[in-house]
Amino acid sequence: MLSEQQKTKRRHPGKGVDKGRNFNRGRQLDGKAVEQIGALLGDRSRQRDMLLEHLHLIQDKYGHISAAHLAALAAEMKVPMAEAYEVATFYAHFDLVKEGESAPPEITVRVCGSLSCELRGAEQLQNALQQNLDPQQVRVVRAPCMGRCDTAPVAEIGHRHIDSASVDNIQQAIADRNFTPEIPRYENYQEYSNAGGYAIYRKCFAGEFSFEEILQKVKGSGLRGLGGAGFPTGSKWEFVRKEPQPRLMAVNADEGEPGTFKDRYYLERNPHCFLEGMLISAWAVEAKAIYIYLRDEYPVVREILLREIEVLQSEGLIGSDYVHLRRGAGSYVCGEESAMIESIEGKRGYPRQRPPYVAQVGLFDRPTLVNNVETLFWLQRVLEKGPQILSEEGRNGRTGLRSFSVSGRVTSPGVKLAPAGITMRELLDEYCGGMQPGHSFKAYLPGGPSGGILPASMADIPLDFGTLEEYGCLIGSAAVVVLSDQDDMRQVVLNLLRFFEDESCGQCTPCRVGTEKTVALLEQDEWDVKLLDQLRQVMCDASICGLGQAASNPVTTAIKYFSEEVLTVREVD
């Protein structure tokens, strides 16, 4: 006969034997941290896809995420600790403090290091802040593009951005403890509704318009995806509608391409034009729910959308659980639609292998329509004013309108609504007030870092989808950065490639290693053109997503069009 202790040991090896333990196996939870996390989450959902949202709650409350809080959150959500850790360490905006490490200072100043800010002295600003601020009280770090390139250089304290940042105005904001963003004047629901807003959506919802009627108007306008790919909007609707129910919709509001800020511009001024377009698009594919994925660098937009979505609920236009607003956490790759979907699901933002495409297997494994903010903004205008609003515009044989985010060495940076097919020279002279005083036009990026670089001598090419590829460039999201004779092309290229190196998600070797090796080669006094080209070929052919595939474009175009400058051997000081 076995004793009870022996029976217990056979059923549960390790139990019934005193090894001096007075606690369970595995990571031990801190009781105080468990209480704090429970109180912080309150009655919020503990479902798995809320992991990023809850990590934001901790970050916002304490200024960092301690190991004890992360363990408590994992236990509260019943998420494996390994998964919680890999998510918390993947995103740049989560400051995870490991066991034994000291928490960062209470105040963090993030200085944008994108090309547009770099041209306006961001590096010098960061160095000056590090010399003038007490490192025990304030941490100063370099950060990726904040989507405010027209007001460069830019810094962020808490959730407040400092435009045209200087040591003085940053020190003043710290002294005033002014870390809360100011909400600008925007068209609210009542104003938008009084002007006829939501009439089209109401008619769609009431059955006064059929899907076929709306589809023909959208197709007739030539409306495309305006996040970079340019896929026809009507065709995308048709693909998603062919898939079985339930279907979902995801809105990509994570414009992270350095130099791009058009989505922020529209959302901060006319949020309901976007929201109505979004609801019509969801109606078109019979989506059961909508998820808006908004980059964390846009706290003002988030506050506006939270307010106005609540108004839509109170007005009875949407149900209480129909539109979900989710925050990104500082990851450029999440602008890729499948990586965005992974992030919405509370995971690392790893792009998926395709097929299947997200229209077939997307968010929560359901067919998913993905639209960009500007596309939805124009959708409402097209349906209200007619397809001709886009089809009658254009230059040089192109049709449509483009929202160009222009920054750099121009007199008047900002979002410029111009005809598709306009040339860089026309855009510069007619919309941007020409070059800054003392600067001569030297080069331009037609579509952000991934769009390559062209010389001023090629400023008469129409800017649109399909017009730049033969020159090794892309229009993408129309993020135009203008360079002058005072800019070092080597340093420009190095800035862009360091961005790609930092933002590579690390999932695939060609991109993870390729960007790192490319940066190392660009830091040399003499560029190894043959090896750079070999890296380019591997990255283009084998990278999973567009980041790795397009990362070498600035290098390739710089060598092609600025060889005399970038291939000159530098003398060592």
Side-chain angles (χ1 to χ4, degrees):
M1 293 288 292
L2 295 175
S3 67
E4 286 303 313
Q5 184 179 17
Q6 289 172 320
K7 291 178 181 178
T8 300
K9 184 177 180 181
R10 180 171 289 182
R11 290 194 300 268
H12 307 286
K15 288 189 176 181
V17 179
D18 183 11
K19 295 185 179 181
R21 294 191 185 95
N22 57 2
F23 51 82
N24 294 328
R25 291 176 181 271
R27 178 179 294 273
Q28 304 309 299
L29 298 177
D30 181 287
K32 183 178 180 181
V34 170
E35 291 180 7
Q36 290 172 332
I37 294 301
L40 187 62
L41 266 57
D43 59 358
R44 293 179 174 88
S45 169
R46 268 66 166 172
Q47 63 192 40
R48 175 64 178 79
D49 58 285
M50 294 297 291
L51 180 57
L52 258 74
E53 292 297 303
H54 296 341
L55 287 170
H56 275 302
L57 290 175
I58 301 172
Q59 179 74 38
D60 290 345
K61 173 74 174 177
Y62 298 101
H64 64 280
I65 301 172
S66 68
H69 281 148
L70 184 64
L73 178 65
E76 184 76 18
M77 297 185 68
K78 296 181 173 55
V79 173
M81 182 60 186
E83 291 185 20
Y85 180 85
E86 70 184 17
V87 171
T89 54
F90 180 85
Y91 296 93
H93 289 187
F94 296 141
D95 293 315
L96 181 62
V97 178
K98 301 175 184 177
E99 292 180 356
E101 292 182 344
S102 299
E106 179 186 0
I107 300 172
T108 296
V109 178
R110 291 180 166 84
V111 180
C112 180
S114 71
L115 179 58
S116 299
C117 285
E118 197 75 13
L119 297 177
R120 300 277 183 152
E123 184 177 358
Q124 293 86 340
L125 173 62
Q126 182 176 340
N127 292 336
L129 289 171
Q130 290 171 333
Q131 293 173 4
N132 286 275
L133 298 176
D134 182 359
Q136 300 300 316
Q137 303 296 323
V138 182
R139 177 178 57 159
V140 180
V141 298
R142 187 176 188 270
C145 184
M146 297 177 182
R148 308 183 73 86
C149 315
D150 52 332
T151 59
V154 178
E156 183 183 26
I157 312 174
H159 290 304
R160 182 191 174 198
H161 288 99
I162 309 293
D163 295 328
S164 301
S166 67
V167 174
D168 289 342
N169 58 22
I170 289 174
Q171 286 181 320
Q172 188 63 54
I174 293 173
D176 295 341
R177 310 291 291 183
N178 187 0
F179 309 147
T180 303
E182 297 180 5
I183 308 302
R185 175 76 176 83
Y186 66 90
E187 186 179 37
N188 61 31
Y189 171 80
Q190 198 60 54
E191 294 167 330
Y192 182 77
S193 182
N194 289 343
Y198 291 105
I200 297 171
Y201 172 65
R202 292 179 189 276
K203 288 180 179 180
C204 290
F205 199 75
E208 295 181 39
F209 287 135
S210 68
F211 168 70
E212 288 72 21
E213 288 176 304
I214 297 295
L215 178 65
Q216 290 309 309
K217 290 184 179 182
V218 172
K219 283 190 168 184
S221 71
L223 183 63
R224 292 172 174 236
L226 296 171
F231 194 85
T233 301
S235 298
K236 185 179 286 190
W237 282 2
E238 290 179 304
F239 289 145
V240 175
R241 274 183 69 102
K242 291 177 182 177
E243 300 299 322
Q245 287 276 25
R247 309 181 194 106
L248 300 172
M249 179 179 179
V251 178
N252 190 339
D254 191 53
E255 56 174 6
E257 186 85 8
T260 307
F261 47 93
K262 60 185 178 64
D263 291 354
R264 176 184 62 81
Y265 176 86
Y266 289 122
L267 289 171
E268 287 183 351
R269 288 160 176 79
N270 306 100
H272 284 283
C273 192
F274 153 73
L275 288 170
E276 184 175 8
M278 177 189 75
L279 294 177
I280 293 170
S281 193
W283 164 85
V285 298
E286 300 173 329
K288 300 303 181 185
I290 302 170
Y291 290 79
I292 304 173
Y293 187 81
L294 178 68
R295 67 183 310 213
D296 197 34
E297 289 84 353
Y298 290 170
V300 169
V301 174
R302 180 171 182 268
E303 182 61 33
I304 291 172
L305 291 179
L306 285 173
R307 291 180 183 181
E308 300 308 312
I309 290 171
E310 185 174 344
V311 173
L312 294 183
Q313 293 172 353
S314 65
E315 293 291 330
L317 270 73
I318 58 174
S320 60
D321 200 36
Y322 186 59
V323 178
H324 305 263
L325 182 60
R326 297 292 176 86
R327 290 167 71 179
S331 175
Y332 165 70
V333 76
C334 289
E336 194 276 337
E337 62 179 9
S338 66
M340 175 190 69
I341 283 173
E342 288 286 300
S343 189
I344 293 173
E345 292 179 354
K347 306 171 187 174
R348 293 173 293 181
Y350 275 178
R352 297 176 179 176
Q353 295 279 8
R354 290 172 288 184
Y357 297 94
V358 298
Q360 303 164 310
V361 182
L363 189 57
F364 308 122
D365 294 330
R366 301 309 311 165
T368 303
L369 172 69
V370 177
N371 279 146
N372 163 264
V373 167
E374 192 191 357
T375 301
L376 299 174
F377 180 89
W378 282 109
L379 172 63
Q380 190 278 338
R381 297 293 178 90
V382 164
L383 297 177
E384 179 185 45
K385 301 182 182 300
Q388 68 279 0
I389 189 175
L390 294 180
S391 58
E392 290 182 353
E393 294 285 347
R395 289 190 189 178
N396 300 307
R398 314 299 296 184
T399 58
L401 289 167
R402 294 286 174 269
S403 300
F404 294 94
S405 304
V406 185
S407 61
R409 303 297 193 180
V410 299
T411 298
S412 176
V415 174
K416 312 297 180 180
L417 184 60
I422 193 172
T423 68
M424 184 64 241
R425 199 175 311 280
E426 293 168 337
L427 185 65
L428 180 61
D429 294 340
E430 298 176 29
Y431 290 82
C432 303
M435 298 294 291
Q436 281 183 299
H439 292 264
S440 298
F441 183 27
K442 174 181 179 179
Y444 66 104
L445 282 66
S450 58
I453 310 171
L454 289 171
S457 60
M458 299 176 67
D460 296 313
I461 303 169
L463 299 176
D464 197 13
F465 295 111
T467 62
L468 298 165
E469 284 77 357
E470 64 178 294
Y471 307 104
C473 293
L474 303 166
I475 187 67
S477 59
V480 177
V481 183
V482 179
L483 306 174
S484 80
D485 57 333
Q486 298 185 26
D487 299 320
D488 184 330
M489 196 57 63
R490 275 193 170 215
Q491 292 304 311
V492 167
V493 175
L494 188 55
N495 176 283
L496 301 178
L497 267 294
R498 281 174 175 162
F499 167 78
F500 287 124
E501 178 189 22
D502 290 341
E503 293 297 331
S504 173
C505 73
Q507 179 182 191
C508 66
T509 302
C511 178
R512 181 184 68 249
V513 178
T515 52
E516 179 184 355
K517 296 296 184 184
T518 299
V519 168
L521 289 171
L522 296 178
E523 291 174 335
Q524 301 302 308
D525 294 322
E526 183 175 1
W527 287 5
D528 188 331
V529 176
K530 182 178 180 181
L531 190 51
L532 284 169
D533 187 61
Q534 290 174 342
L535 281 170
R536 176 199 63 79
Q537 192 67 55
V538 172
M539 292 166 65
C540 289
D541 292 347
S543 295
I544 291 175
C545 80
L547 191 157
Q549 294 163 10
S552 59
N553 285 348
V555 182
T556 305
T557 50
I559 291 173
K560 182 176 181 179
Y561 300 117
F562 302 93
S563 59
E564 186 174 338
E565 178 177 351
V566 300
L567 299 183
T568 300
V569 179
R570 305 293 176 90
E571 293 184 4
V572 180
D573 294 333

